[in-house]
């Protein structure tokens, strides 16, 4: 199948918007963003993981370099292990309430350099140093269609079982759903950093 037989050509501004370095708009977007999706790929397949903290937790070191702390998570290390095999990354920065997003693609390496890690008040175990190869703003059509920021579209928590119950249903584990919930809640209180 030829894709261009199904899709029309990209409009001029879509073709021209890719930047090779971070301009003032990209830097400001990153400074305001408390949430980014990190995409990696390795021999086990592709992975996308959420990363978040206060706005600007991803630091712009210069026009072509970002630093992202690796805060505690589940210790599966899917993204980090992928990066050991293949340094390519895709980032999608979001700002609550903004329909537009910022996409950044490049190559990352894992750093445990003490000087780099001191950039954050709480010290991460490691940080990703991302060499920007391309960056561009992405229009808000997906956000508008999804109504992601629309309070009227908010799904009530009761629409799904608790996180602990879903895990209990999915995996064989001795813990009860209530024990899983208590452990997760304790982690939220005491192990965010």
């Amino acid at each position: 199948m030829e894709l261009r037989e199904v899709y029309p050509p990209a409009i001029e501004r879509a073709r021209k918007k890719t930047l090779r370095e971070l301009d003032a708009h990209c830097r400001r977007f990153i400074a305001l963003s408390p949430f980014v999706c990190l995409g990696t790929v390795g021999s086990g397949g592709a992975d996308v993981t959420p990363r978040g903290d206060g706005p600007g937790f991803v630091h712009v070191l210069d026009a072509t370099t970002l630093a992202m702390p690796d805060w505690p998570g589940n210790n599966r290390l899917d993204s980090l292990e992928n990066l050991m095999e293949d340094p390519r990354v895709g980032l999608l920065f979001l700002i609550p309430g903004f329909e537009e997003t910022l996409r950044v693609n490049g190559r990352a390496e894992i750093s445990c350099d003490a000087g780099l890690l001191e950039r954050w008040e709480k010290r991460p175990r490691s940080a990703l140093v991302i060499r920007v190869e391309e960056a561009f703003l992405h229009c808000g059509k997906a956000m508008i269609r999804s109504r992601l920021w629309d309070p009227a579209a908010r799904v009530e928590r009761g629409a799904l079982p608790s996180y602990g119950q879903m895990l209990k249903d999915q995996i064989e584990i001795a813990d009860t759903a209530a024990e899983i919930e208590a452990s997760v809640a304790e982690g939220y209180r005491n192990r965010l950093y």
Side-chain angles (χ1 to χ4, degrees), residues 34-49:
F35 186 83
V36 61
C37 295
L38 168 67
T40 61
V41 66
S43 59
D47 184 69
V48 176
T49 182

Side-chain angles (χ1 to χ4, degrees), residues 139-161:
C139 77
K141 288 179 182 174
M143 295 297 189
I144 293 166
R145 286 189 295 257
S146 70
R147 298 176 57 202
L148 185 64
W149 308 124
D150 182 350
R154 187 173 178 160
V155 177
E156 294 298 323
R157 184 60 188 95
L160 286 172

Side-chain angles (χ1 to χ4, degrees), residues 7-152:
Y7 293 92
I11 61 174
E12 181 182 23
R13 69 176 174 266
R15 289 192 317 269
K16 291 184 171 182
K17 69 180 179 179
T18 302
L19 304 175
R20 298 293 171 210
E21 59 183 43
L22 304 170
D23 71 354
H25 299 299
C26 293
R27 290 172 185 236
R28 183 69 177 141
F29 202 103
I30 293 166
L32 293 171
S33 176
F35 186 83
V36 61
C37 295
L38 168 67
T40 61
V41 66
S43 59
D47 184 69
V48 176
T49 182
R51 302 294 172 110
D53 199 356
F57 78 100
V58 175
H59 294 194
V60 177
L61 303 183
D62 60 43
T64 58
T65 315
L66 298 173
M68 180 189 313
D70 187 51
W71 297 128
N74 57 21
N75 290 322
R76 285 178 49 119
L77 306 181
D78 297 319
S79 298
L80 298 181
E81 288 179 349
N82 280 350
L83 290 172
M84 299 296 288
E85 292 181 36
D86 187 331
R88 293 176 297 166
V89 294
L91 305 172
L92 181 67
F93 288 92
L94 289 88
I95 301 172
F98 279 61
E99 294 169 340
E100 297 76 23
T101 57
L102 174 66
R103 290 172 54 178
V104 175
N105 297 314
R107 296 181 183 272
E109 63 184 44
I110 303 164
S111 176
C112 294
D113 178 74
L116 176 66
L117 302 181
E118 289 174 359
R119 296 182 65 86
W120 294 275
E121 184 178 333
K122 309 262 191 214
R123 302 292 187 272
R125 289 187 180 169
S126 68
L128 299 183
V129 177
I130 300 152
R131 306 289 177 213
V132 175
E133 294 177 348
E134 60 181 15
F136 55 92
L137 295 167
H138 198 99
C139 77
K141 288 179 182 174
M143 295 297 189
I144 293 166
R145 286 189 295 257
S146 70
R147 298 176 57 202
L148 185 64
W149 308 124
D150 182 350

